[in-house]
Amino acid sequence: GQNIDQPTEMTATEGAIVQINCTYQTSGFNGLFWYQQHAGEAPTFLSYNVLDGLEEKGRFSSFLSRSKGYSYLLLKELQMKDSASYLCAVRRNYGGATNKLIFGTGTLLAVQP
Amino acid sequence: DGGITQSPKYLFRKEGQNVTLSCEQNLNHDAMYWYRQDPGQGLRLIYYSQIVNDFQKGDIAEGYSVSREKKESFPLTVTSAQKNPTAFYLCASRQPGQGNEKLFFGSGTQLSVL
């Protein structure tokens, strides 16, 4: 089977740091993505991890531990515009060139003044 | 600018009616996807197409149909057999074999039942 878990909601303060966790259980793991989605809009790509470790991109960083089935997205210097849903998605390989993305339910982040 | 366009933004369906959601991309991507998004659930894959004139069922294909006659177009028809069609529908594309192969999403269509 396959399962992706992330918190439903989180609240943080403008200027602070927040960490959004994602745990997964799947066979054929072939990478993990984080997307940001504002309400009623398209998800936009934030980060991609396929090897263990931390990937940093400006205010956003993403970490992966394949042995633990765990990832987190770290947002620094929070801004009001960071209020959005954050989607964790695991790419699963089904053999050969067939890959599919499995999405978590998303974490709704509210940034408060 | 390259991108992926969905239309309409809002769509209403009457009982027993088929409706078609449009998805067009000018990114020259081979692969295109349709996802359904419901509150409290992750995106679920309806249909996908790896190349023109070919498409595959996703996890929740029942009550839906697609076509891929042109590389840039992947319309989704929600048929009367789909008994719970109210949802936010997202179209996406990607180019296999390029880097992380991230998905590019359209801005979505909100479908509601009258």
Side-chain angles (χ1 to χ4, degrees):
Chain A
Q2 51 206 23
N3 197 37
I4 300 177
D5 289 312
Q6 48 181 134
T8 304
E9 296 180 354
M10 298 183 71
T11 302
T13 304
E14 191 176 15
I17 299 173
V18 70
Q19 178 175 312
I20 302 175
N21 296 324
C22 173
T23 58
Y24 64 88
Q25 296 174 318
T26 187
S27 56
F29 176 82
N30 194 20
L32 187 144
F33 294 80
W34 284 96
Y35 285 86
Q36 180 192 60
Q37 185 182 24
H38 287 95
E41 297 183 10
T44 55
F45 170 79
L46 289 178
S47 68
Y48 170 70
N49 296 70
V50 66
L51 300 176
D52 291 349
L54 188 68
E55 295 281 342
E56 296 186 80
K57 192 186 296 184
R59 293 190 298 115
F60 293 5
S61 303
S62 58
F63 171 83
L64 175 67
S65 169
R66 289 172 296 171
S67 62
K68 295 181 180 178
Y70 168 68
S71 173
Y72 67 72
L73 181 69
L74 192 70
L75 291 75
K76 304 175 186 176
E77 301 170 15
L78 280 172
Q79 302 175 10
M80 299 299 290
K81 68 178 182 180
D82 296 330
S83 294
S85 283
Y86 291 86
L87 313 180
C88 173
V90 170
R91 184 164 65 196
R92 181 183 175 187
N93 182 263
Y94 288 79
T98 303
N99 292 282
K100 288 184 183 179
L101 271 187
I102 306 157
F103 283 85
T105 56
T107 298
L108 182 61
L109 174 67
V111 179
Q112 298 178 338
Chain B
D1 288 338
I4 183 165
T5 302
Q6 289 186 240
S7 63
K9 181 67 175 174
Y10 300 96
L11 186 60
F12 296 90
R13 194 191 89 166
K14 294 180 181 178
E15 201 74 33
Q17 184 183 39
N18 293 355
V19 292
T20 297
L21 285 61
S22 170
C23 178
E24 303 278 333
Q25 54 99 359
N26 60 4
L27 299 166
N28 201 33
H29 286 173
D30 284 316
M32 296 186 74
Y33 303 80
W34 274 105
Y35 288 91
R36 171 179 170 142
Q37 188 173 33
D38 294 275
Q41 296 194 43
L43 273 67
R44 292 183 289 167
L45 183 63
I46 305 172
Y47 266 98
Y48 65 101
S49 169
Q50 304 269 52
I51 199 166
V52 177
N53 293 321
D54 183 61
F55 51 82
Q56 306 292 332
K57 291 182 179 180
D59 301 317
I60 54 165
E62 185 175 350
Y64 300 97
S65 65
V66 293
S67 62
R68 187 82 187 278
E69 298 176 1
K70 297 186 296 182
K71 186 175 185 178
E72 57 270 24
S73 180
F74 191 40
L76 173 74
T77 297
V78 184
T79 75
S80 57
Q82 172 49 246
K83 298 305 179 188
N84 184 24
T86 297
F88 191 55
Y89 290 85
L90 286 162
C91 180
S93 70
R94 73 179 178 96
Q95 187 53 41
Q98 286 186 358
N100 59 35
E101 301 185 14
K102 64 187 180 187
L103 287 174
F104 292 80
F105 285 89
S107 55
T109 294
Q110 176 63 51
L111 176 63
S112 302
V113 177
L114 288 176

